[in-house]
Amino acid sequence: MLGNFSYCNPTKLYFGKDALNGLKEELPKYGKNVLLVYGGGSIKNNGIYDKVMAVLSECGKTVYEDAGVMPNPTVDKLKEGVQRARDCNADFILAVGGGSVCDYSKAVSISVNCKEDPWEKYYIRFEDVDPDCKIIPVGCVLTMVGTGSEMNGGSVITNHKQKLKIGHVFGENVFPKFSILNPEFTYTLPKYQMVAGFYDIMSHILEQYFSGEDDNTSDYLSEGLLRSLIHSSEIAVKNPTDYEARSNIMWTATWALNTLIAKGKTTDWEVHMLGQAVGAVTDATHGMTLAAVSMAYYKFIMPYGLKKFVRYAVNVWGVNPVGKTDETVAEEGLAAMEAWMRRIGLVMNLTDLGVNEGNFEDVVKATLVMEGGYKVLTQDDIRAILKASL
Ligand code: NZQ
Ligand code: ZN
């Protein structure tokens, strides 16, 4: 276990088939004007909008809407949302949707009273919210599983003009005040989105797992979460309405990225930097961008973190190490992971996501370099990994 840390997660969770009852308990704590934020309309088709509106009305709220939050929310949409929140004098923001809606709502919440350009301040200069900037409280009703946005301070915004997709992980003051997690609300997700979310969870855990050489409790927790995810994902792709599988996955997703398993670790996040660069240029689905670059990345860094890759192969994928070299065991682990990725139906190359000769160098340029993993990448390394992912 390394370093000193503090741990606090202020988000209250309501989990299960009756989770929406939690909204009735939470809403009275906030003011009358509620800005209801949602995406492209899935919540109207699956009935979640009506259920949420009924609770808002029961609680006597005045509801204003900010709809049309797109996957990979943009800086232009953020400006629109900030204006909307100012116009209606929002006391509270209720995000009903997936990670994009939750991330966007957090961005609006810290931008309404921000005196500067929020993109420049929060996403380019990576500054925190000023102490005198009032943050509008946010609550989430989650409809898509994967990002962990329901219980963290992460907010990812895309700027198409600048070809940048940047995530800022804010502090506890930006975490949602509460999140409603009803696994049944995710049943209507198209399979493509469902499995992209599964891989997002996998990637979040691996980004934190593949760092450090120490004996760290966080790594044991990660291995348990990974095994649960792999097990339940196989069931969920065959039967998307298997409550046990979908509920386990929902819970795993939350714990995969709510700061717990990063404790005492440096953490990597390079797969996300590669994936976000792909997203900035192609607007592809987040989880798929991660899937498409992961195999090339992990094969590339394996020699630099060999011991951990051996441990991963044995403890997560059940590879029998007897009589094999470390390299062979590690490779068998990655092969098992690749087979699982193909089985659940992930996109395994960048060409299918729209990367081509014309925009390849834009992706290279947009990839930020992290320093917490087993190898700090050079521009040539990035180019080689992306080439191998085409
Ligand atoms: O917009 P609607 O119509 O709601 O449709 C959405 C969207 O098209 C649909 N969907 C969501 N719930 C549904 C549903 N369709 C049917 N039934 C339901 N119950 O799914 C599509 C994708 O939704 P989106 O919110 O974009 O997906 P996700 O949850 O994967 O969020 C992706 C965003 O989160 C960021 C990503 O970069 C990306 O911008 N991330 C946020 C993180 C964080 N806050 O910590 C970390 C992650 O690594 C990630 O970067
Ligand atoms: Zn992610």
Side-chain angles (χ1 to χ4, degrees), residues 271 274-275 278 288-300 342 347-355 360 363 381-390:
V271 168
L274 290 156
V278 174
M288 294 306 188
T289 65
L290 307 174
V293 299
S294 281
M295 271 304 135
Y297 177 71
Y298 286 125
K299 283 178 188 163
F300 188 86
R342 292 189 186 281
V347 176
M348 299 298 285
N349 68 76
L350 289 175
T351 308
D352 287 351
L353 296 178
V355 179
F360 183 83
V363 180
D381 294 341
I382 291 170
R383 201 171 277 113
I385 291 163
L386 290 170
K387 271 235 154 72
S389 308
L390 281 171

Side-chain angles (χ1 to χ4, degrees), residues 48 63 101 149 153 189 194 220 239 254 319:
I48 295 172
V63 182
V101 170
S149 189
L189 270 171
M194 179 183 79
Y220 295 86
N239 180 13
T254 302
V319 173

Side-chain angles (χ1 to χ4, degrees), residues 39-43 46 48 69-73 98-101 103 106 143-144 147-149 152 154-156 165 185-186 188-190 193 200 204 257 272 276 286:
S42 70
I43 64 164
N46 59 24
I48 295 172
V69 179
M70 61 293 282
N72 310 321
S100 294
V101 170
D103 279 18
K106 290 178 211 170
T143 67
M144 150 121 195
T147 65
S149 189
N152 70 34
S155 172
V156 185
K165 180 177 181 186
F185 284 4
T186 69
T188 51
L189 270 171
Q193 293 295 340
D200 197 18
H204 293 159
L257 196 52
H272 271 65
Q276 280 174 204
H286 173 65

